[in-house]
Amino acid sequence: MNSKAARPQRDGIPMPLWLQGAFEAAQMFVISALIVAIPLAATWFAGGFAEKDGSVIARLAGQIWLLGHGVPLNLTLASGPSSASVQTGVFNLLPLGLVLVPFFLSWRAGRRLARASYTDQLWQPLLGATITYAAAGLATGYVCSAPGIQASLMASMLVPLIPAVSGLIIGSRLEAGSWSRLIGMSAADWIARTSQDQRWAGSYLWTVVRSGFVAVMASLSLSAFLLAVNLAARWADIAAVYQALRPGPLGGAALTLAQLAYMPNFAAWTMSWAGGGGFNLGAGSTVTPLGTSVAPVPPIPVLAALPTGEMPLGFAALLIPVVAGVLAGWWFVRAGENHFDEWLSLKVRQRWLSLPGSTLFLGAVIGIAAAAMAWVAFWISQGSLGIGRLTEVGPDPTTAALWIGVEVAAGVVIGSLVGPWLEGDGAGVPLLRRQEPASQARPE
């Protein structure tokens, strides 16, 4: 981010900052729309759609753009002439792979706007970008709504701002290097007025939150690896569905891209499955490590890789969140911010009593942090396909998050205990020796 001293040497196109923000937002909208429209247009030109009207395909591209930003689509299906035969529903199964497109585009835009702005002026391009992107979403919702598929204009205007503004702020923060340079205010003075105990408590809690993030990301990564292995093992079944559908080269490519857009959702579902909570594929259909009970599903190739029947070794998948918890506990030990253990060792002189107490407390708080983050991942990955039986697709966020939290907590207890032995300087240190608090540590 530029400093005021370098104000006369600003690089880039000489334009007002709010206009530059609006230009970046317009660029984000056009690129993200083209990423959706180009595959649909190619499929339409190749005869992959029975609909011959190009305007219908254009509206479909706009509807997918809205769905890729998290905007729910209201569906209406008339199966007969009477009003009683009209079915309504909401399609809100967010393709997480597609929502990453506007997020990373806005991330890059945020970095560019931060380089072009000064500490006390960044709000101007961010405001211009926000207003422009909201207007683009509103226009898309208005133009692309049809009698059978409609999007709320308010949701079309506000919901796309969630990934866009998040990316703008994160990109600006990374370019600025600190929040103080980003907003012109520093928290250092406020922290200096707090007591040493408050600073230790803050650093402990912040490390707990980061450890929970490590646990969730490790569990999600291992689950994604398990998903990839399963897809490779069941590739023959997946290919058989492709052959039965006969989509053609372009249609097959479009179908593959649609499935790739939902791959992050599938990874989150796999994490829920590995945790023990499982996931649903419609009302009354469940997929868990101990067995699968699923009614007939749509002919989507990736669904051919679903585990079927009873799995005697399915419980082994429960080790994935536990291993992630071990990594999180080890990471916490490496961070060196275990101030609660230091405080408890001062209050309770018996190390055989204070160590288990602080370790169990650490496992509980990191487990709670991991469960909260996992709940968010499960919530955004599940949804409804609108009409019919598939109105409950994905994991139940609360149940799946509780499973993950408990298993991560167990792993954290193990990782925090074995962590000192995994470090070179911790080898051979007696487990029950009382650790000297940092406040009383003697300098070497």
Side-chain angles (χ1 to χ4, degrees), residues 265 268-269 272-273 277-280 377-379 381-382 393-398 400:
N265 300 63
W269 298 0
S272 176
W273 180 87
F279 58 91
N280 302 319
F378 295 142
W379 182 75
S381 70
Q382 57 88 39
V393 180
D396 177 71
T398 302

Side-chain angles (χ1 to χ4, degrees), residues 213-433:
F213 181 77
V214 169
V216 172
M217 293 308 298
S219 181
L220 185 61
S221 300
L222 292 173
S223 300
F225 177 76
L226 178 63
L227 174 63
V229 171
N230 184 54
L231 291 176
R234 303 289 298 275
W235 182 251
D237 297 331
I238 296 173
V241 177
Y242 270 107
Q243 293 174 355
L245 292 175
R246 297 181 179 179
L250 287 177
L255 180 59
T256 301
L257 288 176
Q259 294 175 96
L260 289 176
Y262 281 101
M263 277 299 164
N265 300 63
F266 300 152
W269 298 0
T270 305
M271 182 172 68
S272 176
W273 180 87
F279 58 91
N280 302 319
L281 275 179
S285 298
T286 58
V287 182
T288 67
L290 301 181
T292 300
S293 175
V294 177
V297 295
I300 300 175
V302 71
L303 296 183
L306 283 173
T308 58
E310 295 183 359
M311 291 166 287
L313 298 180
F315 67 91
L318 299 177
L319 293 176
I320 287 180
V322 177
V323 171
V326 171
L327 294 175
W330 182 14
W331 186 91
F332 185 91
V333 170
R334 289 178 61 89
E337 298 288 349
N338 199 357
H339 301 302
F340 178 77
D341 181 66
E342 297 172 354
W343 175 84
L344 190 61
S345 65
L346 288 177
K347 301 298 182 180
V348 181
R349 293 295 179 175
Q350 295 81 5
R351 187 57 178 159
W352 60 270
L353 188 58
S354 65
L355 178 63
S358 64
T359 303
L360 291 175
F361 180 80
L362 177 65
V365 293
I366 294 181
I368 292 173
M373 298 177 192
W375 186 92
V376 175
F378 295 142
W379 182 75
I380 63 176
S381 70
Q382 57 88 39
S384 168
L385 294 183
I387 296 175
R389 191 179 56 83
L390 296 177
T391 54
E392 299 177 9
V393 180
D396 177 71
T398 302
T399 302
L402 287 176
W403 277 89
I404 293 293
V406 171
E407 293 162 5
V408 164
V412 167
V413 171
I414 299 172
S416 61
L417 290 177
V418 303
W421 274 266
L422 299 177
E423 300 296 322
D425 56 354
V429 177
L431 179 64
L432 297 180
R433 189 183 73 184

Side-chain angles (χ1 to χ4, degrees), residues 6 19 41 61 70 101 106 110 117 124 131 166 191 195 203 233 254 276 283 354 372 380 412:
L19 182 58
V101 173
S106 60
S117 306
Q124 299 180 27
I131 294 175
S166 298
I191 295 176
S195 66
S203 62
S354 65
I380 63 176
V412 167

Side-chain angles (χ1 to χ4, degrees), residues 39-67:
L40 288 177
T43 305
W44 179 71
F45 278 115
F49 290 102
E51 179 62 54
K52 302 304 181 182
D53 188 357
S55 63
V56 176
I57 306 302
R59 281 199 302 270
L60 176 62
Q63 292 160 1
I64 296 176
W65 184 91
L66 291 171
L67 181 66

Side-chain angles (χ1 to χ4, degrees), residues 158-227:
L158 298 180
V159 175
L161 295 180
I162 297 176
V165 175
S166 298
L168 286 171
I169 294 176
I170 293 175
S172 301
R173 165 62 177 81
L174 291 177
E175 183 65 28
S178 67
W179 288 110
S180 61
R181 294 185 63 194
L182 182 64
I183 61 178
M185 298 175 59
S186 176
D189 295 336
W190 177 81
I191 295 176
R193 290 193 296 268
T194 60
S195 66
Q196 183 63 51
D197 291 337
Q198 291 174 326
R199 290 196 291 271
W200 278 343
S203 62
Y204 179 84
L205 292 177
W206 178 234
T207 308
V208 164
V209 172
R210 291 187 292 166
S211 298
F213 181 77
V214 169
V216 172
M217 293 308 298
S219 181
L220 185 61
S221 300
L222 292 173
S223 300
F225 177 76
L226 178 63
L227 174 63

